[in-house]
Amino acid sequence: MVLDLPVPWYALLGLMGAALVAGWVDAVVGGGGLVQLPSLLIGLPADTPTGDVLGTNKVSSVAGTVAATITYLRSVTVDWLGVLPLVVLAALGSTLGALAARLIPRAYLTPIVLVALIAVGLFTVFRPSLGLEHAPRHTGWAQAWRTGVIGLSVGGYDGLLGPGTGSFFLIALVAVLGYGFLEASARTKIANLATNIASIIVFGAHGEVLWLVGGCMALANLTGGWLGARTAVRLGSSFVRRVFLVVVSVLILKLAYDTVVTFIE
């Protein structure tokens, strides 16, 4: 367990600002880790191990996820039997992914996330009506196994890398199951909460969390998550879709720039 502050106070304030924005983004469309994780990669010392970066990111993220989940559940009806396979298998996938995360060098994170983001962004752009109406396509066992596969695969990615998990949950629930963006966002928060908790247990058990940094960022992320969920509920699926595309586009450009710079160096 690491309690010492490894960054200057002004860097910590910058990380808290990033966590606030990430909490808002994550609550609206998912993918707040794509704001927060790059900030940690920049703000923490260059020799910080991958596990410490990812573990600290999870501690911060879980606070905003809790706030967003509570806010959504007050306004969006959720079929808990339908959500159960998503949550259980997402937690399992996240645990397995977190166990493997320590084997991945930091330099590999950016290009992997970049490729996934481009694919998700293009898919959403070329399906303009996607997610604007809530029209579930499956029930019973057909819904359950599809939901479970989404949970296991995206949960595994969340434990392994993390950034963009909410976006991937969101687009999978919309594209595969026919949910509206708002309804998918509510279910995404529940699944994300399970994956975050599972990952924190694994990273914490291995002493790979900067608890003081993560705790300070968690307070900011919680505020952002509460504000973001309220905004999404008030403005609906069309607003969520627009924010989703803006966030994905900006982050693709940023990660592409980072990849090119790293390649040149």
Side-chain angles (χ1 to χ4, degrees), residues 52-203:
D52 287 12
V53 176
L54 297 177
T56 304
N57 180 56
K58 292 300 180 186
V59 169
S60 175
S61 298
V62 75
T65 303
V66 168
T69 300
I70 293 172
T71 303
Y72 275 117
L73 291 179
R74 289 176 175 173
S75 304
V76 178
T77 301
V78 173
D79 173 16
W80 287 102
L81 287 178
V83 170
L84 187 61
L86 180 71
V87 171
V88 172
L89 289 176
L92 174 60
S94 182
T95 300
L96 296 175
L99 289 171
R102 300 188 312 280
L103 306 176
I104 300 178
R106 283 178 61 174
Y108 293 174
L109 295 179
T110 297
I112 292 174
V113 175
L114 176 60
V115 171
L117 266 181
I118 292 174
V120 168
L122 290 175
F123 181 78
T124 306
V125 167
F126 289 109
R127 298 285 299 275
S129 62
L130 189 71
L132 295 184
E133 293 185 3
H134 183 57
R137 301 192 186 99
H138 308 284
T139 58
W141 173 244
Q143 180 195 50
W145 77 259
R146 287 173 172 83
T147 302
V149 169
I150 292 171
L152 185 63
S153 56
V154 181
Y157 169 80
D158 186 45
L160 186 64
L161 296 175
T165 296
S167 297
F168 297 139
F169 267 130
L170 184 68
I171 201 65
L173 291 172
V174 169
V176 176
L177 299 179
Y179 293 156
F181 271 109
L182 181 61
E183 290 77 11
S185 291
R187 290 159 175 79
T188 291
K189 291 301 101 187
I190 298 170
N192 238 163
L193 183 58
T195 61
N196 282 340
I197 292 174
S199 295
I200 289 172
I201 291 173
V202 174
F203 287 122

Side-chain angles (χ1 to χ4, degrees), residues 14-24 35-36 60 216-218 220-222 224:
L15 289 172
M16 291 176 68
L20 176 68
V21 174
W24 189 92
V35 176
Q36 190 166 266
S60 175
C216 291
M217 293 177 68
N221 195 272
L222 186 149

